[in-house]
């Protein structure tokens, strides 16, 4: 890999409270510029990049092929800080959820889902979300901000730290796949998501192939092409309804980009073919979108699109205006899809005991804080 060039000039990130600059999230060009500022030659950037993103170093002292003087200089002015883990929760099924705090005190969640042949990290792209999908708990929380590229990469690095995954190769790796399916709409924060995923895919760093990365969108049609062209990752689309009438209500972004435009963008998604299908997510809502007629209509509208189906049993949250479809309704729905040639369309919920399943992120921490506030208010009354 050669050194990439950038059209823009590099503005170094703002220093932290202690005056040091965090290097996590910088790409090789930016590291080269940073090191050039210290009078160091370009090859040092390559070494530093490897220490940071291939070996997961958290300490400059470990960088044994760099001169002691340089290591001290780096430690003086720079940091290799991950996000701070506030809490880890472990599900009975091996799923782990981390609540991580950023420099400004905002918090996000990431989830690791171990399976027999893979370990998937579900990564957040925003604090909160603007989409207000009616069945999603994250959607009831207002958007606070986009995540920086460094905060997105940092979720991956943090998971590899905790899973002791650095240095493991191939089948031995515990984090083999990434889904951009955490909090937020990744295509509303495309530039930062792109920077982060480019770093994650770099073969001299974390080195996850684009085939092991899936980005899920509620249907930001104008950004889908760029996602395919510039990142080439797998695409998942949160469809959830087969008519504009219903989708307008439960996935409000549909009013801007209706079903037909969305499906046209899927047909044209760069690199899509029968070996690389688009995943359609469909949350099963009792008496809302789960009839056999819905299933047949779904088969009809997906005709001609290389597609995989992902039926997600609705994961409830406190106060949710929906219920999960009955197992019979889900099975009937799945049978119709299977007859039409879609294999294993039902997603087993993972980590639901720790509110780590789809649509449940952040809710727990927000609720906990609310209940702490309530307890404090009650205590104030008593005293
Ligand atoms: N904004 C992106 C990324 C979020 S991915 C998107 O919409 O695709 C999270 C996935 O979980 C989406 O498919 C979302 O529709 C689904 N989801 C949200 N709330 C859910 C819930 N309560 N139960 C099951 N799935 C849910």
């Amino acid at each position: 890999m050669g050194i990439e060039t950038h059209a823009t000039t590099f503005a170094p990130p703002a220093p932290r409270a202690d005056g040091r600059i965090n290097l996590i999230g910088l790409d090789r060009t930016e590291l080269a510029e940073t090191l050039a500022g210290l009078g160091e030659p370009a090859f040092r950037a390559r070494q530093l990049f490897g220490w940071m993103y291939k070996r997961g170093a958290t300490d400059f002292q470990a960088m044994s092929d760099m001169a002691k003087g340089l290591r001290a200089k780096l430690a003086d002015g720079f940091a290799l800080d991950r996000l701070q883990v506030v809490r880890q929760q472990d599900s009975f099924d091996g799923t782990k959820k981390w609540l991580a705090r950023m420099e400004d005190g905002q918090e996000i969640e990431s989830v690791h889902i171990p399976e027999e042949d893979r370990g998937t990290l579900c990564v957040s792209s925003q604090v909160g979300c603007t989409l207000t999908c009616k069945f999603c708990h994250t959607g009831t929380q207002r958007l606070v901000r986009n995540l920086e590229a460094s905060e997105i990469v940092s979720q991956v690095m943090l998971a590899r730290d905790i899973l002791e995954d650095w240095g493991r190769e191939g089948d031995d790796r515990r984090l083999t796949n990434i889904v951009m399916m955490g909090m937020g709409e990744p295509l509303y924060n495309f530039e930062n998501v792109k920077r982060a995923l480019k770093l994650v895919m770099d073969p001299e760093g974390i080195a996850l192939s684009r085939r092991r990365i899936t980005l899920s969108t509620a249907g930001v049609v104008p950004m889908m092409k760029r996602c395919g062209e510039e990142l080439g990752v797998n695409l998942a689309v949160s469809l959830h309804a087969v008519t504009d009438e219903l989708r307008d209500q439960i996935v409000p972004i549909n009013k801007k980009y209706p079903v037909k435009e969305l499906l046209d963008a899927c047909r044209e998604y760069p690199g899509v073919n029968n070996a690389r299908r688009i995943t359609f997510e469909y949350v099963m809502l009792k008496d809302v979108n789960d009839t056999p007629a819905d299933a047949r209509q779904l088969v009809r509208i997906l005709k001609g699109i290389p597609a995989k189906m992902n039926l997600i049993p609705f994961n409830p949250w406190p106060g949710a205006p929906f219920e999960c479809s009955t197992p019979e309704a889900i099975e009937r729905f799945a049978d119709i899809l299977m007859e039409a040639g879609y294999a294993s369309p039902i997603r087993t919920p993972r980590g639901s005991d720790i509110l780590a399943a789809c649509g449940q992120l952040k809710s727990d921490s927000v609720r906990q804080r609310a209940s702490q506030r309530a307890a404090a208010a009650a205590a104030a009354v008593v005293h």
Side-chain angles (χ1 to χ4, degrees), residues 245-318:
E245 196 190 356
L246 177 61
R247 199 162 187 271
D248 278 351
Q249 285 176 38
I250 62 175
V251 185
I253 194 182
N254 194 70
K255 292 181 205 153
K256 253 197 209 148
Y257 310 114
V259 173
K260 181 175 179 308
E261 283 180 34
L262 176 57
L263 296 180
D264 284 346
C266 290
R267 261 182 213 100
E268 287 155 20
Y269 187 69
V272 72
N273 57 46
N274 282 333
R276 288 199 80 205
R277 294 163 184 265
I278 294 179
T279 302
F280 287 90
E281 294 154 291
Y282 195 97
V283 60
M284 297 300 297
L285 304 171
K286 186 176 182 192
D287 300 332
V288 174
N289 64 356
D290 63 351
T291 65
D294 288 314
R296 286 191 291 270
Q297 179 66 4
L298 183 57
V299 170
R300 237 172 276 138
I301 64 177
L302 292 186
K303 206 163 251 153
I305 304 176
K308 283 191 272 205
M309 278 307 306
N310 214 328
L311 299 181
I312 316 174
F314 171 66
N315 294 306
W317 36 272

Side-chain angles (χ1 to χ4, degrees), residues 332-383:
R332 232 175 344 168
F333 202 99
D335 281 348
I336 294 171
L337 297 182
M338 282 191 286
E339 276 162 32
Y342 297 100
S344 55
I346 305 176
R347 182 191 289 176
T348 324
R350 297 287 306 264
S352 49
D353 55 325
I354 54 168
L355 283 183
C358 302
Q360 297 183 317
L361 294 190
K362 180 78 186 256
S363 49
D364 188 32
S365 59
V366 168
R367 197 172 66 243
Q368 224 177 47
R369 196 116 349 101
S371 67
Q372 275 162 10
R373 266 200 308 275
V381 171
V382 170
H383 292 121

Side-chain angles (χ1 to χ4, degrees), residues 187-209:
L187 293 189
Y188 274 160
N189 187 19
F190 183 68
E191 294 302 335
N192 291 343
V193 166
K194 176 178 157 183
R195 274 175 53 89
L197 291 182
K198 288 265 183 204
L199 271 174
V200 165
M201 292 190 279
D202 192 298
E204 288 180 25
I206 297 169
L208 283 184
S209 135

Side-chain angles (χ1 to χ4, degrees), residues 83-87 97-111 122-128 138 141 144-148 150-156 158 182-184 361-363 365-366 369:
L83 308 180
Q84 184 198 343
V85 176
V86 183
R87 189 179 48 174
K97 179 168 84 166
W98 295 292
L99 178 67
R101 185 171 298 154
M102 298 174 286
E103 275 272 312
D104 65 355
Q106 296 293 343
E107 291 170 352
I108 44 154
E109 289 183 326
S110 330
V111 178
C122 179
V123 172
S124 292
S125 58
Q126 299 180 312
V127 184
T138 310
Q141 295 152 14
V144 181
R145 66 173 173 85
N146 281 334
L147 295 189
E148 300 291 337
S150 58
E151 293 164 337
I152 298 169
V153 177
S154 204
Q155 294 173 61
V156 179
L158 189 65
M183 293 156 57
L361 294 190
K362 180 78 186 256
S363 49
S365 59
V366 168
R369 196 116 349 101

Side-chain angles (χ1 to χ4, degrees), residues 109-256:
E109 289 183 326
S110 330
V111 178
H112 181 257
I113 306 151
E115 288 175 88
E116 216 145 83
D117 61 337
R118 66 179 69 185
T120 303
L121 188 72
C122 179
V123 172
S124 292
S125 58
Q126 299 180 312
V127 184
C129 191
T130 54
L131 294 175
T132 65
C133 300
K134 294 297 172 288
F135 46 82
C136 178
H137 202 184
T138 310
T140 65
Q141 295 152 14
R142 66 188 182 89
L143 176 76
V144 181
R145 66 173 173 85
N146 281 334
L147 295 189
E148 300 291 337
S150 58
E151 293 164 337
I152 298 169
V153 177
S154 204
Q155 294 173 61
V156 179
M157 300 182 71
L158 189 65
R160 297 201 79 196
D161 292 347
I162 297 173
L163 297 168
E164 298 181 0
D165 199 34
W166 296 105
R168 293 175 183 274
E169 301 282 346
D171 288 350
D172 211 25
R173 274 177 85 145
R174 294 171 176 166
L175 199 168
T176 60
N177 291 58
I178 287 181
V179 292
M180 295 302 302
M181 293 188 187
M183 293 156 57
E185 168 50 53
L187 293 189
Y188 274 160
N189 187 19
F190 183 68
E191 294 302 335
N192 291 343
V193 166
K194 176 178 157 183
R195 274 175 53 89
L197 291 182
K198 288 265 183 204
L199 271 174
V200 165
M201 292 190 279
D202 192 298
E204 288 180 25
I206 297 169
L208 283 184
S209 135
R210 65 193 174 86
R211 291 172 193 282
R212 291 183 170 274
I213 300 176
T214 300
L215 183 147
S216 179
T217 181
V220 185
V221 166
M223 297 307 295
M224 286 166 59
K225 185 160 176 231
R226 283 191 61 195
C227 178
E229 277 173 353
E230 296 171 31
L231 283 173
V233 295
N234 303 317
L235 187 70
V237 171
S238 294
L239 190 61
H240 307 315
V242 293
T243 63
D244 283 326
E245 196 190 356
L246 177 61
R247 199 162 187 271
D248 278 351
Q249 285 176 38
I250 62 175
V251 185
I253 194 182
N254 194 70
K255 292 181 205 153
K256 253 197 209 148

Side-chain angles (χ1 to χ4, degrees), residues 1-5 28 46 202 204:
M1 280 283 292
I3 304 261
E4 287 177 40
T5 50
R28 47 183 76 244
R46 194 166 174 170
D202 192 298
E204 288 180 25

